Amino acid sequence: MSKTAANPNSHDAVDLRGRILETASTLFYQRGVRAVGVDLVVEEAGVAKTSLYRHFGTKDDLVAAFLAREDQDFWGTWDRVAEKHKKDPQAELDAQLEWIGERVGRPNYRGCPQINVAAEFPEADHPARKVAAAHKRQLRDRLKGIAERLGVDRPNELAGQLALFINGAFVSSQVLEAGEAIPLLQQSAHALIAAVGR
């Protein structure tokens, strides 16, 4: 017997959880995590508070789920781009920086969710901060993989530099002119690659 047959309400539960998370994610991103209370989430989602706590034990769990969702979206895009450029690391790096630059250039862009949340929660053991820290470590690790495939002399150094200026772009969207993010990211990457040597 399938789960759905055994529990006809399982699909409704998934939909309800998704609706709560979608609503919370939008509010957290637009207004900041600390500014958004559970009461506002349940009001905007049109659900009972007990439903929220049935799916997310605490607000911290909801924040961590929001970041995990953002993480999945970010790495899903990264993986699709990487798949297209398996044999050409320079083309992959340029393509990764292109979609990141496009994202940074959106009119409604409010910065990297992981950086935003890390700034709101200074406690190193906060569940959301752990998700954010893991995301940033993974970014550097993936950049190091590209740097190694490029055959540069100091791949770890290049990965650190690339991570630094990508994260800088995430927090600088308000000072960038329209269409500027992509060429700035790509030109900076090319300059860094030349500087570390091959």
Side-chain angles (χ1 to χ4, degrees):
M1 181 181 285
S2 72
K3 280 187 175 181
T4 305
N7 181 4
N9 295 324
S10 63
H11 184 70
D12 293 342
V14 170
D15 285 349
L16 185 60
R17 184 186 190 282
R19 188 162 87 226
I20 294 167
L21 182 55
E22 176 72 29
T23 301
S25 296
T26 300
L27 291 169
F28 289 157
Y29 188 69
Q30 291 174 346
R31 303 185 188 187
V33 171
R34 289 199 184 273
V36 174
V38 168
D39 289 339
L40 180 60
V41 174
V42 298
E43 179 185 337
E44 292 289 320
V47 300
K49 191 181 285 190
T50 52
S51 296
L52 185 147
Y53 286 121
R54 186 178 310 119
H55 294 284
F56 306 95
T58 66
K59 180 183 173 184
D60 285 349
D61 293 334
L62 183 57
V63 174
F66 154 61
L67 284 185
R69 180 177 183 258
E70 293 293 326
D71 211 45
Q72 185 176 17
D73 175 64
F74 187 92
W75 296 125
T77 303
W78 185 287
D79 289 342
R80 285 190 296 278
V81 169
E83 184 67 24
K84 293 177 185 174
H85 303 284
K86 286 181 181 179
K87 296 181 179 177
D88 188 341
Q90 183 63 65
E92 181 192 342
L93 182 58
D94 284 342
Q96 300 291 8
L97 295 174
E98 183 176 352
W99 75 262
I100 288 170
E102 184 277 326
R103 178 177 285 205
V104 168
R106 291 176 189 165
N108 62 346
Y109 187 72
R110 275 200 73 252
C112 168
Q114 287 80 7
I115 292 174
N116 294 348
V117 171
E120 288 195 73
F121 294 95
E123 307 88 0
D125 61 342
H126 189 280
R129 193 171 176 95
K130 288 180 181 177
V131 174
H135 177 86
K136 294 306 174 187
R137 280 192 304 274
Q138 187 171 170
L139 175 63
R140 182 164 179 162
D141 288 346
R142 289 184 181 222
L143 291 168
K144 184 178 178 184
I146 293 173
E148 288 170 344
R149 288 167 50 220
L150 283 167
V152 299
D153 293 338
R154 302 184 300 279
N156 191 52
E157 180 181 326
L158 178 60
Q161 292 169 337
L162 292 171
L164 188 65
F165 85 74
I166 290 170
N167 286 316
F170 287 146
V171 298
S172 300
S173 59
Q174 295 82 9
V175 299
L176 296 173
E177 296 176 11
E180 190 177 30
I182 294 170
L184 281 178
L185 284 166
Q186 291 176 337
Q187 290 162 13
S188 298
H190 296 168
L192 290 172
I193 291 165
V196 297
R198 293 193 195 192

